[in-house]
Amino acid sequence: MQQDEEEEARSFLRRFLEEFPAAPEDGGPLPVSPLSRRVSRDELQGESLDLGLRLLAARGAPAAVGALLCQAAFTRLLQDDLSPFHCQQEVAEGEEPVVLLESDPVQRLFLDKLIDVAKAWHRRLPPLPACPLPRCSVHAIKNTRRKMEDKHVMLPEFNQLFGKQDGVPRAFYAVFDGHGGMDAASFGAAHLHVALSRQETLQSDPAAAFRDAFSQTDELFRAKAKRERLRSGSTAVAVLFQGQDLTVSWLGDSQALLVRGGLDVPLMEPHKPEREDEKQRIEDLGGCVTFMGCWRVNGTYAVSRAIGDFDQKPYVSSEADCATLRLQGDEDYLLLACDGFFDAVKPCEVPDLVLTALRPTPDPDGVGDAAAGPPDVATGAGVAQRLVAHAKAAGSSDNITVMLVFLKPPEQLLQSHGATAPPDSQDALQQ
């Protein structure tokens, strides 16, 4: 197996260097667009890693190799003098100046470092750490909305991306549901895991680490929103597998659901303005919760906690809730999804729907299910797509993102929980 992984890595490096023998020249387009025109030093790591991972994933890089390449390239980037990339900025009277970097030239330098590392590894491949990747299935659609404002992150190679070598296995997954634009969701997807990796309490108290990471991500976005006049917000749900522990942290109404032994296990309670404790918190701050088609904070946002939404802070809070539980080894899978899914699907319906989605459906015409596609029981691929199709058919008009992280082989789930699905769920997925 190790030999196969090394050969896959060498094959990728060869293809990559054939396409990129050198970094793109100044004036030419970058192969992947940076998220921002200008970045602060605090934002540089998240923006660079995001660009590198997108570039490498689009070219079929093995996940662990891509993470290690990006980590090594960014380490080299920080060793250079970045002052030539500083840009002029207007600073209001009484404010401290913030150093901003021009994204295009600094990311060209990052790509140059990435190519240098790839060349060195092509000549002599370093030992690749064992990184067994869980089977995952993810699917996202714009649905009937004008724009797609959801983002998601799948990072089973968390340790490799951040150079952590303490022997504790880690994996990070998150779903961000933007509103009022996609800036907040994109920012959270690029920076939350970076902020989490920097927390000193990551191993000893992951819940505290998550709370601080959310707070710091929100503050970073506040600075960006101010200088670029952005007004968007985003809910978020993120999980960290660390050793035998699972920590879930969230803002707003995106949700994580654990399934164990074929039964749903509640992990969290989403933040909604009508939730009694949230309503009380908002009113204690001098705000109000009113019904305008749905319950809204001060007549505006339909969520009570989020990244961004600075025109309604502190009523819309950026203080995340967290929960940690010890995994027992009998868990089936973890599902993360935005409210576009959970507004149409009850958590208790998920186990039957997933089992049904794993089974091949009758196809007398031999044309397959064009909306959802056939499942792959060995990998779990296609399951999220079928769940998204079900939520849409059940009436959801919102953006929908569904992510499943299988903690048991999908075929084992079918063997453990029976070969036939309840008629209602089978019919629902065929509609």
Side-chain angles (χ1 to χ4, degrees):
M1 181 64 71
Q2 182 70 20
Q3 186 175 356
D4 292 342
E5 292 173 354
E6 291 178 358
E7 182 54 39
E8 184 183 13
R10 290 191 179 92
S11 176
F12 162 73
L13 291 169
R14 183 171 56 253
R15 297 193 311 271
F16 180 72
L17 292 173
E18 288 173 354
E19 182 178 1
F20 297 104
E25 296 181 359
D26 291 347
L30 288 169
V32 178
S33 298
L35 292 178
S36 308
R37 290 179 55 248
R38 297 178 177 181
V39 296
S40 68
R41 290 298 294 260
D42 288 336
E43 296 167 352
L44 181 60
Q45 185 177 13
E47 299 255 345
S48 298
L49 296 181
D50 176 85
L51 182 142
L53 290 174
R54 283 188 286 133
L55 174 73
L56 296 173
R59 284 151 180 82
V65 173
L68 289 167
L69 279 171
C70 287
Q71 194 273 334
F74 185 74
T75 299
R76 292 191 181 192
L77 178 69
L78 293 183
Q79 295 170 356
D80 274 31
D81 177 15
L82 301 182
S83 60
F85 308 121
H86 291 184
C87 54
Q88 298 291 329
Q89 58 177 313
E90 296 181 3
V91 180
E93 185 176 352
E95 290 186 355
E96 289 290 329
V98 176
V99 174
L100 295 179
L101 306 169
E102 293 285 356
S103 286
D104 190 280
V106 78
Q107 296 303 354
R108 286 178 191 276
L109 180 59
F110 172 71
L111 289 179
D112 188 58
K113 304 298 183 186
L114 194 68
I115 293 168
D116 285 346
V117 175
K119 288 178 178 178
W121 289 9
H122 186 245
R123 291 190 296 268
R124 184 175 181 179
L125 187 68
L128 297 177
C131 185
L133 301 181
R135 296 173 175 89
C136 296
S137 179
V138 63
H139 191 61
I141 63 169
K142 178 169 66 72
N143 210 356
T144 63
R145 292 297 176 92
R146 188 167 61 92
K147 294 181 179 180
M148 179 56 166
E149 296 175 332
D150 287 0
K151 298 288 287 186
H152 63 270
V153 177
M154 302 170 63
L155 201 58
E157 60 283 353
F158 184 93
N159 284 348
Q160 286 74 27
L161 187 62
F162 297 113
K164 296 196 174 293
Q165 300 178 357
D166 55 6
V168 180
R170 295 182 180 88
F172 174 93
Y173 304 89
V175 168
F176 300 84
D177 183 357
H179 48 265
M182 65 180 300
D183 296 297
S186 296
F187 192 90
H191 294 282
L192 179 62
H193 53 288
V194 177
L196 182 64
S197 75
R198 297 172 176 172
Q199 302 305 314
E200 294 182 359
T201 60
L202 178 63
Q203 185 169 341
S204 60
D205 190 348
F210 252 129
R211 284 190 289 268
D212 289 342
F214 265 109
S215 177
Q216 291 167 16
T217 301
D218 188 66
E219 284 303 310
L220 271 181
F221 185 60
R222 181 189 292 272
K224 178 183 176 71
K226 183 176 182 180
R227 67 177 182 259
E228 298 184 12
R229 296 181 175 86
L230 306 176
R231 292 177 55 87
S232 64
S234 177
T235 68
V237 59
V239 300
L240 178 73
F241 291 93
Q242 183 169 239
Q244 295 301 308
D245 291 335
L246 168 65
T247 301
V248 57
S249 188
W250 70 98
L251 293 173
D253 54 8
S254 295
Q255 296 186 53
L257 174 70
L258 183 68
V259 173
R260 174 190 290 141
L263 301 175
D264 60 296
V265 179
L267 294 177
M268 52 168 287
E269 184 179 358
H271 300 124
K272 296 187 177 183
E274 64 268 29
R275 209 176 90 175
E276 191 56 41
D277 56 344
E278 287 294 277
K279 182 173 182 289
Q280 188 64 53
R281 177 184 63 80
I282 293 165
E283 292 176 346
D284 288 346
L285 290 168
C288 65
V289 175
T290 57
F291 190 83
M292 300 178 64
C294 62
W295 292 102
R296 298 180 180 274
V297 178
N298 295 333
T300 56
Y301 302 117
V303 296
S304 56
R305 301 196 191 195
I307 296 169
D309 293 335
F310 299 114
D311 59 322
Q312 290 296 331
K313 287 284 195 290
Y315 313 109
V316 175
S317 172
S318 59
E319 183 177 347
D321 271 336
C322 304
T324 298
L325 76 157
R326 176 61 58 94
L327 296 175
Q328 301 174 8
D330 58 350
E331 292 80 11
D332 297 337
Y333 54 85
L334 180 77
L335 180 144
L336 292 84
C338 62
D339 68 320
F341 176 76
F342 281 110
D343 283 349
V345 177
K346 297 177 181 178
C348 63
E349 297 175 312
V350 167
D352 287 340
L353 290 172
V354 169
L355 288 177
T356 302
L358 280 169
R359 298 183 181 90
T361 55
D363 186 17
D365 298 323
V367 297
D369 185 345
D376 184 334
V377 178
T379 65
V383 176
Q385 189 173 358
R386 292 166 70 86
L387 294 182
V388 168
H390 171 73
K392 181 177 180 179
S396 176
S397 60
D398 200 355
N399 300 154
I400 307 174
T401 297
V402 172
M403 179 191 301
L404 288 104
V405 182
F406 289 98
L407 304 177
K408 286 183 180 177
E411 62 269 23
Q412 185 178 333
L413 298 182
L414 287 178
Q415 295 170 0
S416 301
H417 305 305
T420 58
D424 290 345
S425 59
Q426 188 71 263
D427 292 343
L429 282 173
Q430 291 181 7
Q431 287 178 355

